[in-house]
Amino acid sequence: MGEVELSCRAYVKMFLHASLFPRCSINGLLLSSSSAGGAVCVTDCVPLLHSHLPLAPITQLALTQVDVWCSQTKQRIVGYYQANACVTDSSPTPCAMKIADKISEQFDNAVLLMLDGSKMSSDRVPPIVMYERKDSRWLLKDKHT
């Protein structure tokens, strides 16, 4: 996987979603309108749920609806984001990895972003922990790339 570019719009929507529900797990999908090779350009995101993330029927319905909407607006799902209810926990849950795995079946350079609740109030450090898929596993991406 190459570089990942995150638009201001996508970043703000993720941040506000997490800020609106600070004591809940939240999740959403990352979208791209560009089909360029190389860097993954996340141009937007769709907030999905703010509790009960592992409920398969609700999640499946949301993924299907966003996929249909993306095909109509010439966008594609390129990743998944989640913030855990526990502020100090920024590791992907089994649910997060399962959804990200499904996305990576459709998009090879899929991205898994976890929001770090302990950094949400900091002005200097973005509260994002990025994972990439390597050898059928989600591994922490090098911060310098």
Side-chain angles (χ1 to χ4, degrees), residues 80-92:
Y80 174 81
Y81 77 88
Q82 180 174 309
N84 295 325
C86 180
V87 175
T88 58
D89 181 16
S90 63
S91 59

Side-chain angles (χ1 to χ4, degrees), residues 27-43:
N27 69 352
L29 299 172
L30 304 171
L31 308 179
S32 177
S33 56
S34 66
S35 60
V40 176
C41 301
V42 178
T43 54

Side-chain angles (χ1 to χ4, degrees), residues 18-133:
S19 297
L20 188 58
F21 302 100
R23 290 179 174 74
C24 298
S25 295
I26 58 107
N27 69 352
L29 299 172
L30 304 171
L31 308 179
S32 177
S33 56
S34 66
S35 60
V40 176
C41 301
V42 178
T43 54
D44 201 357
C45 72
V46 177
L48 295 180
L49 303 170
H50 54 266
S51 61
H52 309 295
L53 303 188
L55 290 177
I58 294 171
T59 304
Q60 183 62 42
L61 178 62
L63 287 168
T64 303
Q65 288 179 329
V66 172
D67 193 41
V68 168
W69 181 75
C70 283
S71 66
Q72 294 171 349
T73 59
K74 296 186 171 114
Q75 296 186 81
R76 71 183 310 170
I77 300 171
V78 296
Y80 174 81
Y81 77 88
Q82 180 174 309
N84 295 325
C86 180
V87 175
T88 58
D89 181 16
S90 63
S91 59
T93 61
C95 175
M97 289 187 282
K98 186 179 263 188
I99 294 171
D101 284 342
K102 282 292 188 190
I103 294 168
S104 71
E105 289 174 8
Q106 302 297 317
F107 183 70
D108 289 335
N109 293 328
V111 179
L112 171 58
L113 299 181
M114 295 298 296
L115 297 175
D116 186 348
S118 64
K119 296 179 184 173
M120 291 291 285
S121 61
S122 173
D123 292 334
R124 290 181 247 133
V125 181
I128 295 174
V129 180
M130 188 175 305
Y131 291 83
E132 63 182 334
R133 189 160 171 83

